[in-house]
Amino acid sequence: MDSCKYCHKDDPDKPLWVQCSLCPQWVHVSCVPLKHLQDQDGNEIKQYPQSSSEISYFQCGAHD
């Protein structure tokens, strides 16, 4: 984990990170546009999760 792709910081005050499902990129969950997050049923997440286990798939902006 070097820095968040969205805010470009390695911010220890943002404890929840998620890795892209398609590449090694890590980001702060709170920086990700919600349209890029899916729950375990493949549905778009409507609010930011409290735990990374609530996210089953994340695709960073490099794959749009």
Side-chain angles (χ1 to χ4, degrees):
M1 238 184 292
D2 292 328
S3 64
C4 174
K5 174 181 175 39
Y6 293 100
C7 73
H8 306 287
K9 296 179 184 175
D10 181 12
D11 190 347
D13 293 332
K14 292 185 178 179
L16 189 57
W17 290 72
V18 64
Q19 183 179 14
C20 178
S21 297
L22 303 175
C23 73
Q25 179 67 53
W26 284 85
V27 299
H28 299 119
V29 170
S30 60
C31 294
V32 176
L34 285 174
K35 68 180 182 176
H36 292 291
L37 299 173
Q38 293 178 3
D39 67 14
Q40 295 176 347
D41 296 323
N43 299 314
E44 186 177 304
I45 292 177
K46 302 295 183 197
Q47 63 184 21
Y48 287 104
Q50 300 301 309
S51 129
S52 58
S53 66
E54 295 176 50
I55 302 168
S56 65
Y57 183 83
F58 161 64
Q59 181 177 313
C60 76
H63 309 287
D64 287 341

